[in-house]
């Protein structure tokens, strides 16, 4: 018999818990709801209950049957709304039990009979809707979230207590962040403008949204007092600055544009396929530089040439920059028709058109800048000069070890007397 009371309700509620893991029903909390339900690719049935609720107790046997009936088809969960109040508040839960069916970002109220068959029929209907949506090329859960302010969008990043530091505070990119409450009328009015601004900025400044009623740690950290509160976070900033301007997409875009600075790309060693895809993907041009062998040009010499490339990268920020040691990627050199002599060699490639052209001239800041200006500007510019198609329309890239930054010497062979 559970009579004693601890400072929190945890022990007391555990005595009144309706379900155990063996029932196939997941225990949901404010802390795990997003990771288990909202980030799931499957369908979830969620009961919001109170331990003292008589109707909730009556539902228990049928809900357990539903879990067995839907095993492997849909996930079944339950959340004690007297203990975990942020999620019930987010979905405006007014009575118990309340059952909701979640599919991606979409949630719908279940108002059918409180029987295993009734719940299973509702899941079957949801599965049909998901399949139909995917056949039409839409993402599951793209529909409006039962009138609630969802903020889910391919352009707006959903922020939480768990991902805020990694995504925003440790980011090399600038962020606009809205702290909102689902019940806030001004937040709901802002939502389409926020999505439009995020879409127009195209990721140059990231747009994020954090439900401050569900993720209170970050809301308290930044002393959020009202909704919506909008803050701008420059790259690497841990403080953020308040945005006090008008809340139209045009004004938000204008403010974000005024804060935006194109990041300087890194000149990256081409050590494998994934590295090159990350550096070159979506770029107008990708600049490949083949530096002399470390045996011919030691670390000081190589660093001087890399400095030239770094200086150029600050002026050509929309290009990808790759360097390779001569002979380290023979198939790439072959594709670019590079002769086995005369390094360094610099090649400009259009990832989209799979065309390339090789610099002829001095390997210097001025010489390369003149070359890049000639191939990099104007519509179709790269195809208006002497170019060649990549052989086989691809680059065969080997996985190699990165340079350790040190000098290297040729191995000394032992002299052996000939008998």
């Amino acid at each position: 018999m559970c009579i004693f009371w601890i400072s929190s309700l945890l022990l007391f509620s555990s005595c009144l818990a309706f379900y155990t893991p063996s029932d196939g029903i997941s225990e949901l909390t404010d802390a795990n709801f997003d990771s288990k339900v909202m980030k799931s690719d499957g369908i979830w049935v969620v009961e919001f209950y109170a331990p003292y609720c008589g109707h909730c107790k009556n539902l228990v046997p049928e809900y357990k049957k539903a879990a067995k009936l839907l095993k492997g088809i849909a996930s079944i969960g339950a959340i004690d709304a007297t203990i975990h109040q942020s999620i019930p508040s987010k979905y405006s839960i007014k009575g118990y039990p309340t059952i909701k069916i979640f599919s991606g970002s979409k949630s719908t109220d279940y108002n059918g009979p409180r029987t295993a068959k009734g719940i299973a029929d509702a899941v079957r209907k949801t599965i049909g809707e998901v399949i139909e949506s995917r056949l039409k090329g839409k993402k599951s859960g793209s529909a409006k979230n039962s009138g609630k302010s969802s903020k889910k969008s391919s352009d707006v990043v959903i922020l939480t207590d768990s991902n805020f530091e990694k995504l925003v505070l440790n980011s090399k990119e600038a962020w606009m962040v809205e702290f909102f409450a689902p019940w806030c009328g001004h937040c709901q009015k802002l939502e389409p403008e926020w999505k439009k601004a995020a879409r127009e900025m195209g990721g140059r400044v990231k747009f994020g949204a954090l439900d401050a009623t569900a993720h209170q740690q970050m809301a308290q950290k930044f002393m959020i007092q009202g909704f919506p509160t909008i803050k701008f976070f420059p790259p690497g900033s841990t403080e953020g600055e308040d945005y006090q301007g008008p809340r139209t997409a045009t004004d938000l875009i204008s403010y974000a544009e005024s804060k935006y600075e194109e990041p300087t790309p890194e000149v990256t060693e081409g050590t494998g396929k994934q590295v090159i895809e990350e550096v070159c993907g979506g770029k107008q041009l990708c600049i490949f530089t083949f530096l002399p062998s470390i045996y011919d040009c030691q670390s000081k010499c190589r660093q001087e040439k890399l400095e030239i490339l770094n200086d150029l990268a600050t002026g050509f920020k929309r290009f990808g920059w790759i360097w390779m040691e001569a002979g380290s990627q023979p198939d790439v050199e072959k594709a670019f028709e590079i002769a086995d002599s005369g390094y360094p060699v610099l090649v400009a490639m259009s990832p989209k058109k799979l065309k390339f052209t090789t610099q002829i001239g001095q390997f210097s800041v001025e010489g390369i800048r003149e070359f890049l200006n000639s191939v990099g500007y104007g519509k179709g510019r790269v195809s208006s000069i002497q170019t060649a198609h990549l052989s086989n329309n691809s680059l065969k890239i080997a996985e190699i070890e990165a340079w350790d930054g040190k000098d290297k010497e040729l191995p000394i062979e032992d002299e052996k007397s000939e008998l």
Side-chain angles (χ1 to χ4, degrees), residues 25 28 41 75 111-112 190-191 200 206 216 345 350 355 367 375 379 414:
I25 298 172
L28 298 174
D41 291 328
S75 300
N111 295 313
L190 171 62
E191 182 171 3
E200 292 295 325
K206 298 285 188 181
Q216 299 179 8
V345 177
S350 166
K355 289 186 176 184
V375 300
K379 186 176 181 181
D414 291 337

Side-chain angles (χ1 to χ4, degrees), residues 169-225:
L169 303 185
N170 295 336
S171 177
K172 294 181 180 180
E173 300 173 293
W175 280 79
M176 292 280 283
V177 177
E178 177 200 1
F179 297 83
F180 73 95
W183 42 260
C184 161
H186 292 297
C187 303
Q188 294 167 8
K189 185 177 179 181
L190 171 62
E191 182 171 3
E193 300 294 322
W194 193 254
K195 288 181 177 179
K196 182 179 179 181
R199 184 170 59 253
E200 292 295 325
M201 285 304 297
R204 285 173 292 158
V205 173
K206 298 285 188 181
F207 275 64
L210 182 137
D211 181 347
T213 64
H215 305 282
Q216 299 179 8
Q217 180 182 340
M218 286 300 156
Q220 292 172 3
K221 177 181 176 65
F222 295 106
M223 295 183 287
I224 305 302
Q225 303 295 327

